[in-house]
Amino acid sequence: MTSNILMMSGVKSLKEVDVTGKKVLIRVDFNVPMDSHNNISDDSRIRAALPTINYCIDHNACSITLVSHLGRPKGAYDERFSLKHVQKRLERLLGKRVEFVNDLEVLKSEMNQCSTERVFLLENIRFYEGEKKNDPVLSKQLGDLCDVYVNDAFGTSHRKHASTYGITEFVGTKVAGFLMMREIEAFSKALEHPIRPIALVVGGAKISSKITLLSAVIPKIDKLIIGGAMSNTFLQALGYDMRGSLYEAEFLQTAKEVLETAKAHGVNVYLPVDAVITDSIEHPVDVKVVPAQDVLEGFMAVDIGPASVKLFSEAIELSNTIIWNGPMGIYEVSQFSKGTYKIAGIIGDSYAYSIVGGGDTADAVEKAGEKENISFISTGGGASLELLEGKILPGFERLDRR
Ligand code: ADP
Ligand code: MG
């Protein structure tokens, strides 16, 4: 683990190259949470990219092209996930005009006549089928847009996509942005010489992508605390009928394997002992707290209950390093937010080195008023889990080295 983290923190940073008069392409992470009216509910990820963008503006880059994904479109245009919803906020935060472009060819011709310091925002890169396939054609198209490639999308750095990985084949100068550098430094502090015991707290709803990482992470940690929809999957795997709860039916076997791996490594696993259940998320009429094995018919588990909070808090309080990704329940609905907010408070109160990762988890910590009490808030959820696992993240792998 140590050497991989060191390898990643040895990449060249934007500060070490000259961008004056250059065409710069920055892979940012503008994958912000939005409500159903496309209002941005938390713009931290946009703010987190500002130092890198402003640096390029201040150093008179000829043009700055911002590339990001948003949500999970299926490789085709989908209005809900258009990055045009981000343009206004970005302009306001930058105090500068941002030109929205939804066509790579148009972007290329615009750029050839570029005089100075224009900022372009490309439409959601995941509308292109080639992005997730790390397609060389798309990678080259993106590479052709710039002299300097800056990866500042830590939240996506665990993905081998055209804009995070493939592009590096087609650009001479490729460096890490300030956010990437800040993130890797914080993680190396936690992971290079970790102060044990290390607790990993996982939850949230992106079950399929995260559950598959857990077995590999277990050898690096001492305790595994599981809440949120993730824990529903584990409880279902243990034979409880979780009824209408959100869980991943295809990953019950994976959940069992995670528990076996934990046992083999002597890692204690903490699962909810009780749950807040409801008959409806949007219009709850009946909300109760029941033992985790007693979810009633017609109900679903939407938060951890008070006994689980107590159990988890004891495990958390005795840890010296805490890594948290994934809310304990549907924290967006105030009735189902208690478990998440209480866990945020317990982590905030602890004296451990704490890292919170993931868009929603960071948002929840902020809403809980605990932001200042967390050692480091990472913009990466899945990426932080893969770092913990000891992997070299693809987003760092092919950048220039110092
Ligand atoms: P992050 O963005 O921090 O990586 P995820 O995206 O994996 O986290 O999960 C966050 C989402 O998980 C939130 O929208 C939350 O409402 C949802 N969630 C958590 N617990 C449950 C649950 N028990 N049932 C349904 N959704 C849940
Ligand atoms: Mg999320």
Side-chain angles (χ1 to χ4, degrees), residues 99-110:
E99 300 170 60
F100 183 72
V101 199
N102 57 14
D103 188 301
L104 282 172
E105 288 308 312
V106 171
L107 184 56
K108 197 164 178 196
S109 66
E110 281 290 315

Side-chain angles (χ1 to χ4, degrees), residues 121-347:
L121 173 63
L122 180 66
E123 178 59 290
N124 193 341
I125 191 67
R126 286 204 193 155
F127 290 172
Y128 296 85
E129 243 198 314
E131 167 66 355
K132 286 178 84 170
K133 293 182 180 148
N134 191 31
D135 172 46
V137 176
L138 179 62
S139 299
K140 180 167 188 319
Q141 272 179 310
L142 291 171
D144 285 350
L145 292 171
C146 63
D147 311 309
V148 178
Y149 167 70
V150 183
N151 193 347
D152 212 20
F154 180 76
T156 324
S157 59
H158 58 313
R159 302 280 181 226
K160 247 185 200 174
H161 292 171
S163 69
T164 60
Y165 190 78
I167 182 172
T168 54
E169 285 243 8
F170 305 98
V171 190
T173 306
K174 47 235 179 204
V175 294
F178 298 115
L179 175 64
M180 286 280 269
M181 295 307 292
R182 216 163 64 84
E183 294 266 8
I184 203 68
E185 276 156 25
F187 277 98
S188 58
K189 192 171 166 205
L191 304 179
E192 221 187 311
H193 306 288
I195 314 174
R196 306 195 91 103
I198 309 175
L200 173 64
V201 184
V202 286
K206 269 186 264 163
I207 304 164
S208 55
S209 62
K210 288 174 189 170
I211 198 169
T212 45
L213 302 176
L214 291 181
S215 283
V217 167
I218 280 168
K220 319 280 181 193
I221 61 174
D222 302 299
K223 294 178 222 186
L224 177 60
I225 297 160
I226 312 173
M230 176 71 89
S231 64
N232 294 339
T233 308
F234 280 83
L235 295 169
Q236 183 76 26
L238 287 174
Y240 303 158
D241 188 349
M242 297 308 285
R243 313 275 184 184
S245 308
L246 176 64
Y247 65 88
E248 200 72 68
E250 283 169 34
F251 287 88
L252 300 179
Q253 188 52 37
T254 313
K256 282 184 199 157
E257 284 160 20
V258 170
L259 295 175
E260 278 158 24
T261 310
K263 201 168 176 192
H265 284 84
V267 169
N268 286 334
V269 179
Y270 300 82
L271 282 164
V273 287
D274 58 353
V276 176
I277 59 169
T278 181
D279 53 349
S280 158
I281 296 170
E282 284 83 24
H283 308 287
V285 178
D286 210 353
V287 177
K288 7 175 172 265
V289 176
V290 296
Q293 63 270 34
D294 292 339
V295 179
L296 302 172
E297 202 176 340
F299 282 73
M300 57 199 120
V302 287
D303 194 9
I304 57 172
S308 309
V309 169
K310 187 138 200 310
L311 173 72
F312 290 4
S313 73
E314 281 158 17
I316 291 168
E317 278 158 9
L318 294 171
S319 302
N320 285 318
T321 301
I322 303 163
I323 298 173
W324 180 22
N325 170 247
M328 298 290 104
I330 306 181
Y331 76 98
E332 299 94 330
V333 179
S334 69
Q335 261 178 304
F336 313 138
S337 66
K338 280 203 180 73
T340 302
Y341 289 176
K342 290 213 161 131
I343 294 300
I346 290 155
I347 296 178

Side-chain angles (χ1 to χ4, degrees), residues 31-93:
N31 186 24
V32 288
M34 285 187 193
D35 67 16
S36 51
H37 305 289
N38 285 115
N39 295 308
I40 299 170
S41 49
D42 177 19
D43 63 8
S44 317
R45 282 184 166 175
I46 306 177
R47 290 174 188 273
L50 295 178
T52 295
I53 304 170
N54 279 326
Y55 181 91
C56 295
I57 295 173
D58 293 348
H59 287 78
N60 305 311
C62 146
S63 68
I64 299 161
T65 302
L66 304 174
V67 177
S68 178
H69 76 285
L70 176 64
R72 300 184 156 194
K74 302 267 173 281
Y77 183 77
D78 184 335
E79 148 88 35
R80 291 172 300 162
F81 300 122
S82 172
L83 270 170
K84 71 182 181 202
H85 304 301
V86 165
Q87 182 187 9
K88 278 245 163 63
R89 181 72 60 98
L90 177 63
E91 285 185 329
R92 195 143 58 74
L93 290 170

Side-chain angles (χ1 to χ4, degrees), residues 350-362:
S350 87
Y351 293 94
Y353 185 77
S354 51
I355 297 188
V356 168
D360 291 295
T361 318

